[in-house]
Amino acid sequence: MPKRSCPFADAAPLQLKVHVGLKELSHGVFAERYSREVFGLPRTAPIACSSCMRSVDGKAVCSQCERALCGQCVYTCWGCGALACVLCGLADYADDGEKTLCTSCAMFEA
């Protein structure tokens, strides 16, 4: 019996059979979830500070952009007391020393 003719035009994309094995699953998009389900391993990487890339030792986050911060990169706004990172904190050099303002308070100080 001869093969059936192709019902699609010549411009149709090729349809290939793809085998997804264990190697593809363990290195693909759902690699972390697959590893936890199969191997029972908690694969949690330490959270890095968004400013200096050190390991975060606490739960400090910037109040403006909500990025994780380490203890050395946390700046406290002297206007409202909110935590700010290097990118969101603005330094104000006054006679009594350096003060940090968050972006919300800096709009009203200018």
Side-chain angles (χ1 to χ4, degrees):
M1 176 179 257
K3 289 185 175 182
R4 293 183 292 166
S5 62
C6 181
F8 305 107
D10 291 335
L14 293 176
Q15 297 179 358
L16 303 174
K17 292 181 181 179
V18 178
H19 174 74
V20 179
L22 295 176
K23 181 179 179 183
E24 288 83 9
L25 284 175
S26 65
H27 289 61
V29 177
F30 296 110
E32 185 175 339
R33 188 179 89 189
Y34 176 74
S35 296
R36 271 189 269 123
E37 289 175 0
V38 173
F39 302 112
L41 299 175
R43 299 179 67 184
T44 57
I47 300 172
C49 176
S50 63
S51 299
C52 67
M53 296 302 172
R54 289 187 190 107
S55 179
V56 175
D57 50 2
K59 300 281 183 184
V61 293
C62 177
S63 63
Q64 306 295 314
C65 64
E66 297 180 357
R67 293 181 183 164
L69 299 171
C70 69
Q72 296 177 352
C73 295
V74 174
Y75 296 100
T76 305
C77 175
W78 66 271
C80 66
L83 299 178
C85 66
V86 175
L87 300 173
C88 298
L90 301 171
D92 183 24
Y93 298 101
D95 294 335
D96 54 344
E98 178 182 350
K99 295 180 180 177
T100 304
L101 291 170
C102 66
T103 52
S104 299
C105 292
M107 287 190 323
F108 299 113
E109 287 290 322

